[in-house]
Amino acid sequence: MTHSAPSPTGTANSTRALSVAALGTLLTLMAFTAPLATINSTAADLMSDAAGRTWILSSMSIGLAAALLTTGTVADDFGRRRTFVLGAAVLALGAVVCAIAPNTLTFVLARILQGLGGAAVMASSLGIIAHTHPAGPVRAKASGVWGASVGAGIALGPLLAAVLDRWASWREAYVVLAVATAVLTVAAHLLVEESTSDAPRGLDPLGALLLATGVGALLAALVEGRQGWTSLVPILLFVLAALLLVGFVVFELRSTTAMLDLALFQHPPFVAATVAALATGGGIIALMSYMSGFLGIALGIDALGAALLLFGWSATSVVTALLARRLPASIGGRTQLAVGLVGVAIGMVMLTGLSENASWPRLLPGLLVAGVASGVLNAALGREAVAGVPAGRAGMGSGANNTARYVGSAIGVTIVAVVAVPVGASASGVVALVHGWNTAALVTAAISVFGAVVVAASRTRN
């Protein structure tokens, strides 16, 4: 069967595969963003301090960053459907533990577990799409749907959590996510055909461990550094993080089963897609992760109001991602990435200059601008992630791209918390919190601009 003229059965298979892959990605992003709108009530219920709040927001990113590359290899070598099903089951289990968590530590560990499961779902989803949709306009359209599912998940997660928090408690959102993900697990097993790569690479568990512990040590150093950057604990953690991450690079260079082929960083399309994903996580995702908690404490906007503002950003990105496939073919993927990052930066700059008397209409224009740009980014990232790697390694490309996004998110959330929340700031320090927000928005905008510059430079070297 040729890809140019798929049979009705082939078309049905590709439609089912795209539906399952997009729904899996949507549920993963809903789980990822669920705490954003309810961070204040969640932290209060779990008796979390400032460090605990930061870990609640960044913990799922650690699981995603740790496992995306490994699960991409697992998907390519041992079966994309099999990996998707296992990941969805783990994602559901993590949601169950979140729903019953008695304290911050249990909740954070459950969020890391959700990240591990979500990593398998996301890494295999783009591999499934690449296998069932031939390169060209068909795959571009499917990638647009996948990009829209990213935006939809980001939009619906906080909204679901906020509505259920008002109706019952924040815990019910995780019950709903657990049930929905369990249903999808069964559907994926029944509806998606199995596929593997023609060139297996083998697993790299030590590389995954070094990356996860390195990123975790870096986050811990940033959190502890808020109490004093010259103290012994953050210094030791920074040293440990550097040793682990350097060890990861050295091991990957020498390993015959490296989960990431570092030679790909000599390939401009791969560099562009990876840096764009890193800047997306460290920029707009990091700032939006902090926004709902800030709105509640500093501006008195409740969880549902904050979720609706987030929805203004993320829903706009969904629509834009779906429309992005209509862009002229002359506008290349890397151009879309660079323009998208600049647009996101403009939107975040529009979110600065707040005063303690600001209200929600002041935020909406910047969120809408950032939403349009985010949609362009999401659509282009889904396509460029698999276009920048050799044929048959779509899982690795997807894993590398999403790893960069969530490493950026984990680090970015922590940096935003450090910049935006002075030590000791509370509801009585509204002026300091608003000043911190304005600074954080500028920092994340700068991260986006830096990413756009690197993407543009990689394009000129092509």
Side-chain angles (χ1 to χ4, degrees), residues 129-387:
I129 290 172
H131 172 71
T132 54
H133 295 76
V138 173
R139 187 178 297 173
K141 182 178 179 179
S143 296
V145 172
W146 183 89
S149 74
V150 172
I154 293 172
L156 295 177
L159 199 57
L160 172 70
V163 169
L164 292 177
D165 186 42
R166 173 174 286 194
W167 173 66
S169 79
W170 59 269
R171 296 178 184 272
E172 273 65 32
Y174 296 95
V175 175
V176 172
L177 288 171
V179 173
T181 309
V183 171
L184 183 65
T185 302
V186 176
H189 178 73
L190 295 176
L191 299 177
V192 178
E193 65 180 20
E194 189 59 280
S195 63
T196 59
S197 170
D198 295 331
R201 290 174 58 89
L203 295 180
D204 181 18
L206 181 57
L209 180 63
L210 287 170
L211 179 63
T213 53
V215 172
L218 179 58
L219 296 182
L222 290 169
V223 172
E224 291 296 325
R226 296 180 66 215
Q227 308 301 322
W229 296 102
T230 59
S231 300
L232 181 62
V233 172
I235 290 175
L236 290 176
L237 285 169
F238 276 122
V239 172
L240 177 61
L243 291 174
L244 289 168
L245 293 174
V246 169
F248 167 74
V249 173
V250 172
F251 182 77
E252 293 300 287
L253 287 171
R254 296 182 177 181
S255 175
T256 57
T257 58
M259 62 183 181
L260 176 61
D261 182 2
L262 296 180
L264 287 171
F265 285 97
Q266 300 175 13
H267 189 45
F270 180 82
V271 173
T274 303
V275 170
L278 186 70
T280 299
I284 187 65
I285 293 178
L287 188 65
M288 293 300 99
S289 296
Y290 172 73
M291 187 178 75
S292 293
F294 161 76
L295 293 177
I297 295 175
L299 303 184
I301 297 175
D302 65 13
L304 184 57
L308 289 172
L309 279 172
L310 275 172
F311 187 80
W313 162 66
S314 50
T316 304
S317 75
V318 174
V319 175
T320 308
L322 289 171
L323 295 176
R325 67 177 184 268
R326 300 182 182 274
L327 290 172
S330 58
I331 303 177
R334 279 167 284 165
T335 299
Q336 292 179 39
L337 293 177
V339 171
L341 285 169
V342 171
V344 163
I346 293 171
M348 288 190 287
V349 169
M350 293 171 66
L351 296 174
T352 63
L354 297 187
S355 69
E356 59 271 24
N357 298 318
S359 58
W360 68 266
R362 169 66 177 76
L363 297 163
L364 193 57
L367 292 172
L368 294 177
V369 170
V372 171
S374 295
V376 174
L377 270 176
N378 287 335
L381 281 172
R383 182 173 64 255
E384 296 300 300
V386 297

Side-chain angles (χ1 to χ4, degrees), residues 113-137:
L113 183 65
Q114 283 190 298
L116 297 175
V121 170
M122 293 189 71
S124 55
S125 66
L126 278 176
I128 289 171
I129 290 172
H131 172 71
T132 54
H133 295 76

Side-chain angles (χ1 to χ4, degrees), residues 384-400:
E384 296 300 300
V386 297
V389 296
R393 305 310 303 174
M396 183 184 67
S398 168

